[in-house]
């Protein structure tokens, strides 16, 4: 049996990482992640400017997440035969237009339309980015490449949002979104110059053998993807872990106020961000050999940290738990993307790409649901219950990871 793949570039373990390309992809991750949560930092200014209440202005976050969650899978399926580089550039161009519309929105409806369209474009980009990073990496270094690209997530949360908030306070919320558009324009140029093309994920077939994983058709269905060994467990972990993280992260300010640390909120979040970056460094170094150990460690640290926050609000404990939380969370996106890619690749590139689209959908759905559930728990039972809920979800994630030792989170990836 003979097959030919559109991903034809040779990959050797001796080759180094394509740093410029990966950093360009990482910056794309950064700006799309930053834009999703940026309204939270400039909510008062947006509300006053558009003459709507804070609750209505806050829906700018919801519609972005909805745009991503509702369209990531269908768009990934429809665009499966399209070469990756022009598709990514197209998604980023639409994101640029949509974000610029947000910055210039004359009214509330136009703002929501721009945010929804930006979410759609970001969802497609996210479904591409992890797989793209994996494909341009040397053999055996795929996990490290994904970790580099996914660094944009914690950087956006820990540094980007505070910076955007500062711009919004000093110059105006429109200037904050305008700055994102300028960076997006630069990233499009960077990707054009530095990121190699990898072709479409379709495996061209000659003499198809049904038992060959490479004979997977490009337009893989969600059902086929979830049937791939390990994928369902990975998605269950994504749902519970992201939900638990969002429940506590979205309401960390009320928790810190309860703990008497409101004046130190910025410093606490900075410590969280620094711990996230340390976690990403570790994951990038060892993900290709110790995926299972790292995933167990991440879910365990998160569970311990949130349980500690639920038990006591003593200042040293809060600071220490925040650092543990960052260490547990920072590398999780890279690990989950790596696990989904590896599990999907056993059935072909198309399944791997669909798995990434499913991951993006569940990720954003969990974020949206986390804000709702966390708010309900906060108002009904208080900040301690918020932390307890996060700890319970972290424990569930740990149990899933522990039980999915063979296909979802193997400890060692064989390399050529």
């Amino acid at each position: 049996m003979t097959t030919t793949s559109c991903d034809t570039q040779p990959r050797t373990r001796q080759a180094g990482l394509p740093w410029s390309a990966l950093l360009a992809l990482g910056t794309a991750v950064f700006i799309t992640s930053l834009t999703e949560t940026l309204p939270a930092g400039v909510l008062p200014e947006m509300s006053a400017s558009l003459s709507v209440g804070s609750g209505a202005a806050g829906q700018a976050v919801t519609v972005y997440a909805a745009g991503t969650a509702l369209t990531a899978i269908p768009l990934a399926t429809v665009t499966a035969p399209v070469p990756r580089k022009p598709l990514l550039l197209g998604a980023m161009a639409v994101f640029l237009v949509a974000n610029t519309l947000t910055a210039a929105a004359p009214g509330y409806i136009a703002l929501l339309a721009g945010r929804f369209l930006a979410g759609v474009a970001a969802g497609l980009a996210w479904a591409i980015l992890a797989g793209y990073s994996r494909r341009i990496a040397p053999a055996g270094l795929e996990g490290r490449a994904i970790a580099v690209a996914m660094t944009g997530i914690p950087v956006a949360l820990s540094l980007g949002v505070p910076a955007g908030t500062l711009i919004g306070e000093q110059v105006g919320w429109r200037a904050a979104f305008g700055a994102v558009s300028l960076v997006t324009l630069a990233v499009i140029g960077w990707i054009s110059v530095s990121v190699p093309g990898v072709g479409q994920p379709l495996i061209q077939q000659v003499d198809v053998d049904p038992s060959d994983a490479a004979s997977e058709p490009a337009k893989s269905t969600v059902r086929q993807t979830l049937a791939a060994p390990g994928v369902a467990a990975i998605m269950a972990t994504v749902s519970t872990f992201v939900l638990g993280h969002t429940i506590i992260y979205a309401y960390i300010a009320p928790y810190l106020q309860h703990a008497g640390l409101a004046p130190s909120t910025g410093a606490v979040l900075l410590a969280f961000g620094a711990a996230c970056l340390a976690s990403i460094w570790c994951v990038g170094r060892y993900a290709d050999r110790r995926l299972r150990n790292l995933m167990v460690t991440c879910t365990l640290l998160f569970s311990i940290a949130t349980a500690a926050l639920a038990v006591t609000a003593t200042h040293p404990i809060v600071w220490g738990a925040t650092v543990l939380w960052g260490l547990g969370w920072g590398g999780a996106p890279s690990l989950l993307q790596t696990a989904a890619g590896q599990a999907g690749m056993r059935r072909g590139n198309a399944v791997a790409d669909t798995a990434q689209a499913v991951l993006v959908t569940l990720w954003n759905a969990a974020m949206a649901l986390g804000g709702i559930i966390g708010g309900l728990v906060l108002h009904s039972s208080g900040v301690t219950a918020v932390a307890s809920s996060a700890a319970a979800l972290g424990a569930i994630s740990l149990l899933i990871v522990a039980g999915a030792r063979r296909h979802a989170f193997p400890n060692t990836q064989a390399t050529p």
Side-chain angles (χ1 to χ4, degrees):
M1 204 209 60
T2 305
T3 62
T4 59
S5 172
C6 291
D7 293 337
T8 57
Q9 68 274 23
R11 303 195 302 173
T12 62
R13 182 162 178 79
Q14 289 73 27
L17 288 175
W19 284 102
S20 182
L22 290 174
L23 290 175
L25 298 179
T27 307
V29 172
F30 169 78
I31 56 178
T32 51
S33 300
L34 165 64
T35 307
E36 181 166 20
T37 54
L38 183 57
V42 294
L43 206 58
E45 292 82 3
M46 289 180 65
S47 176
S49 173
L50 298 170
S51 301
V52 297
S54 296
Q59 297 311 302
V61 177
T62 304
V63 297
Y64 188 102
T68 297
L70 292 173
T71 62
I73 293 174
L75 284 178
T77 300
V78 169
T79 60
V82 180
R84 302 292 90 180
K85 184 171 182 176
L87 182 61
L88 177 58
L89 288 172
M92 295 306 298
V94 173
F95 178 83
L96 171 62
V97 171
N99 190 73
T100 303
L101 174 61
T102 300
Y108 181 63
I109 300 302
L111 173 80
L112 293 184
R115 290 289 294 172
F116 183 84
L117 183 59
V120 171
L124 178 57
W126 265 62
I128 298 169
L129 285 164
Y132 212 135
S133 303
R134 183 182 69 246
R135 290 178 196 174
I136 64 175
L141 297 178
E142 294 89 348
R144 187 174 299 183
I146 292 175
V148 172
M150 292 300 110
T151 303
I153 296 175
V155 172
L157 291 175
S158 59
L159 302 178
V161 172
T165 301
L166 181 62
I167 293 174
E169 291 174 347
Q170 299 299 318
V171 188
W173 68 270
R174 296 182 188 276
F177 283 97
V180 172
S181 290
L182 289 176
V183 176
T184 303
L185 186 61
V187 169
I188 290 174
W190 191 0
I191 291 173
S192 299
V193 172
S194 298
V195 178
V198 295
Q200 69 249 45
L202 176 64
I203 298 296
Q204 306 292 343
Q205 301 166 35
V206 181
D207 301 329
V208 174
D209 181 349
S211 67
D212 193 332
S215 66
E216 164 65 20
K219 294 187 177 180
S220 171
T221 66
V222 175
R223 181 179 298 178
Q224 290 171 326
T225 299
L226 293 177
V231 171
I234 294 166
M235 299 309 163
T237 306
V238 169
S239 301
T240 54
F241 202 8
V242 176
L243 182 61
H245 164 77
T246 305
I247 283 175
I248 183 67
Y249 186 84
Y251 298 98
I252 190 62
Y255 180 90
L256 294 176
Q257 184 176 19
H258 162 75
L261 284 170
S264 302
T265 298
V268 172
L269 291 178
L270 185 61
F272 172 81
C276 283
L277 293 177
S279 176
I280 285 180
W281 177 86
C282 183
V283 164
R285 189 173 179 84
Y286 299 108
D288 293 304
R289 301 190 303 276
R290 296 288 181 262
L291 176 64
R292 176 177 176 75
N293 287 351
L294 289 169
M295 198 65 226
V296 168
T297 300
C298 283
T299 51
L300 179 61
L301 288 177
F302 176 81
S303 301
I304 293 173
T306 48
L309 293 175
V311 170
T312 179
T314 306
H315 289 189
I317 299 297
V318 171
W319 280 96
T322 300
V323 171
L324 288 181
W325 174 15
L327 291 173
W329 172 253
S334 300
L335 292 171
L336 292 168
Q337 296 268 16
T338 300
Q342 289 182 6
M345 279 298 295
R346 300 188 189 105
R347 295 288 179 88
N349 278 323
V351 170
D353 279 359
T354 303
Q356 299 294 349
V358 173
L359 186 150
V360 169
T361 298
L362 292 176
W363 191 288
N364 282 273
M367 287 186 65
L369 191 59
I372 295 171
I373 294 177
L376 292 174
V377 173
L378 176 66
H379 290 300
S380 64
S381 305
V383 292
T384 300
V386 170
S388 297
S389 300
L393 287 164
I396 294 172
S397 302
L398 176 59
L399 290 175
I400 296 172
V401 174
R405 66 174 58 246
R406 183 177 179 185
H407 297 295
F409 302 101
N411 199 41
T412 302
Q413 175 188 356
T415 58

